[in-house]
Amino acid sequence: MKTRVLRMSDAALREACQILRGGDLVAFPTETVYGLGGLGLRSETVQKIFHVKGRPSTDPLILHLPSSDLGFAARGGIVAEPIPPFARLLAQKFWPGPLTLIVRKGHQVPVEVTSGLDTVAVRFPSHPDAQRLLKEIGQPLAAPSANRFGRISPTDASAVLQELDGKIPLILDGGSCSNGIESTVLSLTGANPLILRPGSISADRISRTLKVPVATRSSSNTPDLSAASPGMLAHHYAPQTPLYLCTSPIQNFESPYQYILYSPQQKPTSSRIQILAPDRQPSTAAQNLYRVLRQADAAEDSAILIDPIPDSPWTPALKDRLTRASAGTAEWREGKWSLLPRITG
Ligand code: TXA
Ligand code: MG
């Protein structure tokens, strides 16, 4: 199959809708990462998404809604009635935007989307191309990140092509994703709101909106919850080149968000040190992270060393992705980096 890449236009939109209505898949930009989209209410299409991605069928998908109106989604059998008041509040406040809500599923959602769970993940993305596509198609698109399973999420069309060339007919090119890491996933099905995957919308902002505490699932404090979000594997966003988290700053540089492309044969000289966020903003670090990891991978160094992440509202999200991507930690000892493999249970 020839994979075409088209900038959004009236013609590209028509073509995308035709492909989707025909049951095939289209990769499209969102503000977080590119999605691999297909009609979310059609079982065969959803199965095709899992197949193309090489994703285990036990890892449920997000439905991208054509509007922020949860009442409309409930009438369409996407989410169950009654809609949790917290869901309404959060949709009002954060949609369109990088927040995914887990609520009880409606009767129209195929079991393939939710991997058999009685809950469904929904979000209304803010990228203008995603909105145009969703509005035109007028129904939910199931869309995981447009990478092959276990690999880094793509944040521009060329990265999608690298992942899925020949496997899908069309990639809508909407430029680089402004946000750069996947949406915050928040479960509203338990006693308290629970963050299953940290993202740019922090626990603190959600908590201030709902005026209740928001718990964060972390693999260390709630190992039993892995079944509640089957996709949250310890290793997930890994580059091929092993990545190590430095236990102390790389050098006494002023600038945060550094990383080194490292080969043990070479001294980690300052020319090997690169800056993830030249403006020192955590949002820029997030925006650049996956692109840089892809580049670092292509450079065929033997390791990527990442500076400790400074504190900011983005810290949980950045740490989450980097820890999942990591092979271990790097400690500066006796004038060189010692690489310590991560123990996973
Ligand atoms: O930013 C994003 O969320 C991107 C863009 C394309 O929207 N999508 C994305 O999808 O990251 P994906 O499939 O790569 O990640 C979805 C996450 C998985 O960790 C999955 O386990 C979780 O959401 N999830 C989906 N449905 C769920 C459910 N019913 N209960 C718990 N977790 C769920
Ligand atoms: Mg993904």
Side-chain angles (χ1 to χ4, degrees), residues 90 99-102 184-188 193-196 206 214:
L90 292 170
L99 177 65
T100 296
L101 300 175
I102 312 278
T184 304
V185 176
L186 181 76
S187 170
L188 294 173
L194 176 67
I195 291 187
L196 300 176
I206 294 168
V214 171

Side-chain angles (χ1 to χ4, degrees), residues 3-4 6 16 19-20 24-30 34-38 133 143-147 154 157 160-161 164 168-174:
T3 302
R4 302 178 64 204
L6 297 175
I19 291 169
L20 289 167
D24 218 329
L25 312 183
V26 172
F28 65 95
T30 82
Y34 275 69
L36 173 61
L133 180 65
S145 49
N147 51 286
V160 180
L161 197 62
L164 301 176
I168 55 171
L170 178 64
I171 299 169
L172 286 176
D173 180 356

